[in-house]
Amino acid sequence: MKHRIVVLGAGYAGAFAAGNLARRLSPADIEITVVNAVPDFVERMRLHQLAIGQDLASRRLADVFAGTGVRLCLALVTSVDPWRKTVAVTGEDGDGELTYDTLLYALGSSVAHHGVPGVAEYAFDVTGRSSALRLRERLAALGEGGTVLIVGEGLTGIETATEFAESRPDLSVALAARGELGAWLSPKARRHLRHAFDRLGITVHEHTGIETVEPTRAIAADGTSIPADVTVWSAGFAVHPLAAASGLEIAETGQIVVDRTMRSVSHPDVYAAGDCAYAIGDNGRPLPMSCASAGFTNMQATAAIISRLTGSEVPTTGLKYHGNHISLGRRDAIFQMVDRDVRSKSWYLGGRTAARLKSGVLKGAGWGIAHPTFGMPKRKRRLATAPDRAGAGATA
């Protein structure tokens, strides 16, 4: 019987991991199944572009994994049983159950409402394709002078506000920040950010926590009413409660607690990568939810899985967060380097050069997803033990 590897989620972490496993392990010993709720790969880092009306290239997962030996299961994961080593799914073909020997949990994250009244009912977000398309339809219906409020001063909020203002100068775009806009950036980068907001005509409400969202406005903690035909909520991310319900050990954030090799500390046949992994970086701090972290964690997880299955020493890949790359529309951006303690360094790159670099990063990530087994070796690694026992390899 072949060793069954099941990958939950085909986002940046899951899709890359599945391709890497297929590229390096012999199909004579393993079978890989990827479970994803939608048929297309979602470029989450570009969903704010989709929402404002730009067209993005579609990558069907069936085409991505064609010829790789990876089986695609289009279904929604409803539960995970790490004791029975099963995953319950539901899809167009009805309910079913998958059995695994090794599980890679990479289901990502979604928008965090933080219990704020009205967010679920009236706010929009750009954390999923369906929600971005819903926002796209609403924005397209807004006429000249329509008001859009972005809530959240993080990377998603900044990129969304600047993209909307650049693409739709007929709209009145504002951003509500709990603190100071770009406070975490170096002084020069912060000035660059403020100049970009001024150039694009974006109104900034600093030190403004939104406590209620209504159909045509948002109410701040001090009672201030901010008009908004459309409110876009980008005030953080949250993971699905599925991991907690499964009995896996989780952190307060709901993320799966993993060791240095991305292996669950409570269930050694389960690995986690991306936003759903509570992983400690090289600086001793939890990695932030980001595409960069998805890359680090999926590389470490796949390296650990491959090494344990083939009986070799488990390597450690770098878990160092290097910086933030922030798009400010299509022709401007900021690349801010950070030190070991994630504090901004004095040096930053801005302007068109930074925008071209960000565009290259996005294109590179998309190309990598579209070619998951590029560079496939002629000789693949065989499992070191009988396939049905390979999941019980040595621990790190």
Side-chain angles (χ1 to χ4, degrees):
M1 183 177 178
K2 293 183 180 181
H3 186 91
R4 297 156 297 188
I5 300 176
V6 174
V7 179
L8 303 184
Y12 289 105
F16 272 122
N20 199 8
L21 291 166
R23 182 169 64 245
R24 298 171 61 188
L25 292 172
S26 173
D29 294 338
I30 65 160
E31 59 181 34
I32 302 170
T33 300
V34 174
V35 183
N36 202 60
V38 296
D40 297 325
F41 170 70
V42 177
E43 287 191 272
R44 185 168 178 176
M45 292 189 293
R46 283 183 161 167
L47 288 179
H48 56 291
Q49 295 175 242
L50 180 67
I52 200 59
Q54 298 173 30
D55 293 324
L56 305 181
S58 177
R59 292 186 174 86
R60 295 191 66 79
L61 292 170
D63 297 332
V64 166
F65 292 120
T68 66
V70 174
R71 175 194 169 217
L72 176 63
C73 174
L74 293 177
L76 184 70
V77 180
T78 57
S79 67
V80 175
D81 187 334
W83 288 274
R84 294 177 55 237
K85 298 186 181 180
T86 59
V87 176
V89 299
T90 184
E92 293 183 1
D93 297 329
D95 298 341
E97 191 173 81
L98 300 173
T99 302
Y100 66 83
D101 297 300
T102 296
L103 180 71
L104 177 55
Y105 190 112
L107 290 177
S109 63
S110 59
V111 65
H113 294 169
H114 300 301
V116 175
V119 173
E121 295 84 358
Y122 306 118
F124 296 79
D125 67 82
V126 290
T127 59
R129 181 178 174 82
S130 60
S131 59
L133 288 174
R134 174 172 164 264
L135 174 56
R136 178 185 178 121
E137 183 178 356
R138 179 70 182 97
L139 291 173
L142 280 186
E144 184 175 352
T147 55
V148 179
L149 174 67
I150 317 298
V151 180
E153 69 274 27
L155 305 185
T156 302
I158 291 172
E159 292 196 336
T160 301
T162 52
E163 194 77 46
F164 285 13
E166 181 182 87
S167 299
R168 290 286 305 274
D170 60 309
L171 298 178
S172 176
V173 179
L175 182 143
R178 278 194 166 276
E180 178 187 351
L181 179 66
W184 38 274
L185 295 169
S186 64
K188 290 182 179 179
R190 196 179 312 143
R191 286 195 294 270
H192 186 115
L193 176 63
R194 288 187 174 277
H195 288 157
F197 269 60
D198 290 342
R199 170 174 55 82
L200 294 168
I202 302 170
T203 301
V204 180
H205 301 278
E206 293 184 310
H207 307 290
T208 303
I210 300 300
E211 293 201 344
T212 305
V213 175
E214 297 180 356
T216 59
R217 65 175 185 170
I219 310 298
D222 63 0
T224 301
S225 175
I226 304 175
D229 296 316
V230 175
T231 297
V232 182
W233 195 262
S234 59
F237 304 110
V239 299
H240 196 281
L242 183 68
S246 71
L248 293 164
E249 183 171 335
I250 60 168
E252 291 184 1
T253 58
Q255 296 168 291
I256 298 171
V257 180
V258 295
D259 63 15
R260 182 58 177 76
T261 68
M262 303 304 121
R263 196 181 208 178
S264 165
V265 297
S266 61
H267 294 80
D269 298 302
V270 177
Y271 293 76
D275 287 354
C276 57
Y278 187 80
I280 304 301
D282 293 342
N283 61 357
R285 299 180 180 183
L287 289 175
M289 294 185 186
S290 69
C291 185
S293 297
F296 301 149
T297 55
N298 100 71
M299 286 190 291
Q300 178 62 80
T302 52
I305 292 170
I306 292 165
S307 297
R308 289 191 173 108
L309 292 182
T310 57
S312 56
E313 183 178 352
V314 177
T316 55
T317 61
L319 297 178
K320 181 180 179 181
Y321 199 76
H322 296 284
N324 299 310
H325 206 158
I326 316 163
S327 294
L328 304 174
R330 295 298 86 214
R331 297 179 293 276
D332 194 5
I334 291 173
F335 181 56
Q336 175 68 72
M337 297 290 291
V338 299
D339 62 17
R340 179 178 175 82
D341 295 320
V342 201
R343 294 176 300 197
S344 294
K345 295 182 178 180
S346 60
W347 180 88
Y348 89 102
L349 181 67
R352 289 183 179 270
T353 300
R356 286 193 291 267
L357 179 59
K358 178 65 178 285
S359 178
V361 169
L362 293 173
K363 289 179 180 177
W367 191 93
I369 291 293
H371 302 81
T373 55
F374 176 75
M376 184 181 290
K378 293 182 179 178
R379 296 183 61 187
K380 296 192 177 185
R381 300 174 68 179
R382 300 295 302 269
L383 269 59
T385 59
D388 62 345
R389 297 183 59 200
T395 59

